[in-house]
Amino acid sequence: MNPEPGPDVLVIGGGIGGLGSAFALARQGLHVRVLERAKEFGEVGAGLQIAPNCTRILAEYGLLDEAKALGVLPENMVMRDALDSRELTRLDLRDLERRYGFPYMVIHRSDLHGIFLRACARAGVELLTDRTVVGYEHTADGARVQLEDGRAESAPLVVAADGLHSTARRLLVGDDVVSSDYVAYRAAVPIERVRANGIAEKDVTVHIGPRCHFVQYALRGGDMFNQVAVFESPKALAGEADWGTPDELDAAFEATCDTVRKGIPLLWRDRWWQMLDRDPVETWVHGRIALLGDAAHPPLQYMAQGAIMAIEDGWVLARHHARSAGDTDWDAVLHAYEAVRVEHCRRVQTTARAWGELWHLDGEPRLRRNAIMRARDPYDYSFTDWVYGPTALTPDEEPPMFTPIPLSTAGTR
């Protein structure tokens, strides 16, 4: 009796990036197996912002209507000063949709994860839990992973989508995560609990302040309200191991406006997220092992592109497989994937770091930043075209970056 054929692709990690890539590859007729270390599939967190470069892919996958039914299409993105609440700039998200052809959406992280989980099941992806991968090795015709229980799995392609603290990244690259010394607190609460707090139910609002910021938007058809507080931790700066604690949260937002201060007590206080990323690396492909998503390019959250980049990675990988016209040359596919994605994601990672610095300015630099933002034309898309447009498949399709505006060009009034 012939043994059962193994998978064409092993995906390590069942988060949004892993399931997104598994579904993209399964749509190409490939036999895909996902190995997830947890005992069940799921996501922890609250809201996600999904820009047009991702809703475009969801539409192609036939998943956008389901996402719209579970999420919210906000009307504006509004940036305000966290101290005095003055509006600094905005994006008209309805006009943004007209420009890019697809909507800007906010959705609960677990809802988007569930959409991909169901899509994978319908597409015939093998979804296996309680499988902890502890080692990777190359084989003559692909790659093999070693499991904690002593078993091994192999395939012509292994996609390591195992997140910020990726085992594959540690073994293949060996670099460390980078701490920004910032921490995030989150919560999604029933909308009734915040209606008296001066919120804008139909907008994404970002209050930016000295060494802190606060994000608000509705979720789940407007029934829930997502809030995220991010601040620089004095304990982290002092080198203490236990940093980002609730006492620091309260102190960080003492001087902010009423809407922000009223939101702080509603945040979850039993968990918080240290804001970590990694320095960009040039090599994501090691033989037939490909890093994907946060394993390859974990960003800080300021551009709201982390989950999106992971979904784009899977889409690009699958599109290059489709171009191989039935006789898969995985080495060529992986070369094409790396050639375009490394530079794009480097841009997002470095821009996210710079954007975080800009948000958190104090003193005269804060006043100069505010003046530049208030002078911006709300319908100027020069700062979004490079990221919200169609996902590039080749380096020559990658659009030019924006031109930064130096703070020194602004006054302080």
Side-chain angles (χ1 to χ4, degrees), residues 266-309:
L266 299 176
L267 299 169
W268 298 321
R269 290 178 173 244
D270 60 342
R271 71 196 100 164
W272 51 89
W273 288 261
Q274 295 174 350
M275 296 290 96
L276 311 171
D277 68 354
R278 289 181 187 264
D279 292 330
V281 290
E282 296 294 313
T283 303
W284 299 359
V285 174
H286 302 260
R288 295 285 186 81
I289 304 164
L291 301 177
L292 182 142
D294 278 358
H297 47 74
L300 295 177
Q301 79 281 22
Y302 303 105
M303 289 188 62
Q305 284 282 311
I308 294 174
M309 286 194 294

Side-chain angles (χ1 to χ4, degrees), residues 3 33 39 56 103 107 117 130 206 236 275 311 317 349 378 384 405:
R33 180 178 294 162
K39 295 190 182 300
R56 178 184 291 106
I107 190 169
L117 187 64
D130 202 15
V206 185
M275 296 290 96
I311 292 166
L317 195 58
Q349 284 182 279
T384 55
I405 302 172

Side-chain angles (χ1 to χ4, degrees), residues 189-197 199 201 222-225 266:
V189 300
I191 193 78
E192 290 77 16
R193 293 188 63 189
V194 294
R195 281 209 164 111
N197 291 357
I199 63 165
E201 291 187 39
D223 294 336
M224 301 288 290
F225 199 69
L266 299 176

Side-chain angles (χ1 to χ4, degrees), residues 7-9 22-32 123-125 318 321-322 326 328 330:
D8 299 308
V9 183
F23 177 65
L25 293 165
R27 292 177 76 236
Q28 301 296 322
L30 295 166
H31 175 192
V32 183
V125 174
H321 172 269
T328 304
W330 280 121

Side-chain angles (χ1 to χ4, degrees), residues 138-183:
H138 305 296
T139 63
D141 56 357
R144 180 184 298 115
V145 298
Q146 297 293 332
L147 301 179
E148 192 174 53
D149 62 10
R151 289 179 294 172
E153 300 248 10
S154 60
L157 172 64
V158 171
V159 174
D162 51 344
L164 172 70
H165 299 290
S166 163
T167 297
R169 176 75 174 243
R170 176 173 54 81
L171 295 173
L172 298 171
V173 181
D175 61 337
D176 291 325
V177 296
V178 177
S179 174
S180 68
D181 298 326
Y182 277 75
V183 64

Side-chain angles (χ1 to χ4, degrees), residues 7 10 80 85 96 150 157 171 177 188 213 221 231 248 252 264 273 296 298 301-302 314 341-342 372 384 387 393:
L10 276 174
R80 296 182 177 275
S85 196
L96 190 91
L157 172 64
L171 295 173
V177 296
H213 74 269
F231 62 92
E248 291 192 305
I264 297 299
W273 288 261
Q301 79 281 22
Y302 303 105
R341 293 304 293 163
V342 164
I372 290 172
T384 55
V387 67
L393 280 169

Side-chain angles (χ1 to χ4, degrees), residues 45-48 186-189 215-219 224-228:
L48 278 177
R186 298 184 169 100
V189 300
V215 182
Q216 298 176 304
Y217 51 83
L219 288 173
M224 301 288 290
F225 199 69
N226 187 61
Q227 301 189 112
V228 185

